[in-house]
């Protein structure tokens, strides 16, 4: 009888630990992407790498135009530009910037085609990609 009781007690005590192990899972960060297409060709991309809060701007198409990634933050009534990054490689490699994204804020990113690093009138541009952490 005492052995049966100890087996039941072990099962009862183990149940919460098993439930925590089944229910608890590690937090997996989800990266966010926005892409710019010309016809069916991907010209540019921007990626938010959640692990480390890096923003990568890819120039995917050697067409003589560079690309610029834009990061915006919600200010309560509109999105305000935080930072930009230019990439004119045309090789699919990325240019990277870092910004500490807060879980309580909302952000947007966009990537545009530009005519060089000093071009202040971008276009065409991708849709805005809205995200939060």
């Amino acid at each position: 009888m005492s052995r049966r009781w100890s087996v039941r007690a072990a099962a009862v005590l183990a149940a919460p630990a098993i439930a925590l192990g089944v229910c608890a899972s590690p937090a997996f960060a989800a990266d966010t992407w926005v892409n710019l297409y010309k016809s069916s060709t991907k010209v540019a991309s921007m990626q938010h790498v959640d692990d480390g809060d890096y923003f990568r701007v890819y120039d995917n198409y050697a067409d003589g135009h560079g690309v610029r990634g834009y990061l915006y933050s919600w200010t309560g009534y509109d999105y305000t530009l935080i930072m930009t990054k230019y990439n004119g490689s045309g090789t699919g490699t990325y240019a990277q910037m870092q910004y500490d994204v807060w879980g309580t804020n909302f952000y947007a990113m966009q990537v545009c085609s530009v005519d060089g690093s000093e071009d202040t009138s971008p276009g065409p541009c991708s849709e805005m990609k809205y995200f939060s952490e």
Side-chain angles (χ1 to χ4, degrees):
M1 187 76 140
S2 122
R3 184 168 194 255
R4 190 182 265 182
W5 180 86
S6 65
V7 169
R8 285 185 185 164
V12 168
L13 293 173
I18 292 170
L20 285 174
V22 170
C23 296
S25 63
F28 288 103
D31 293 351
T32 304
W33 287 86
V34 64
N35 299 302
L36 174 63
Y37 289 91
K38 181 178 181 181
S39 297
S40 61
T41 303
K42 184 169 33 172
V43 175
S45 301
M46 186 170 174
Q47 174 190 23
H48 168 234
V49 180
D50 195 31
D51 184 15
D53 285 333
Y54 294 100
F55 292 86
R56 296 176 176 165
V57 179
Y58 296 83
D59 185 357
N60 297 315
Y61 190 61
D63 59 355
H65 299 279
V67 297
R68 181 174 296 282
Y70 297 87
L71 176 62
Y72 300 90
S73 178
W74 179 251
T75 61
Y77 60 91
D78 199 3
Y79 280 91
T80 301
L81 181 65
I82 296 173
M83 59 191 340
T84 71
K85 188 67 173 181
Y86 173 78
N87 185 345
S89 70
T91 62
T93 58
Y94 61 82
Q96 182 169 277
M97 59 186 172
Q98 187 175 23
Y99 182 80
D100 190 15
V101 173
W102 291 77
T104 56
N105 293 355
F106 295 97
Y107 301 90
M109 57 186 195
Q110 184 177 41
V111 64
C112 300
S113 178
V114 294
D115 290 326
S117 62
E118 302 302 318
D119 186 6
T120 58
S121 57
C125 294
S126 69
E127 296 290 323
M128 297 282 275
K129 180 69 173 195
Y130 303 96
F131 69 98
S132 63
E133 240 182 24

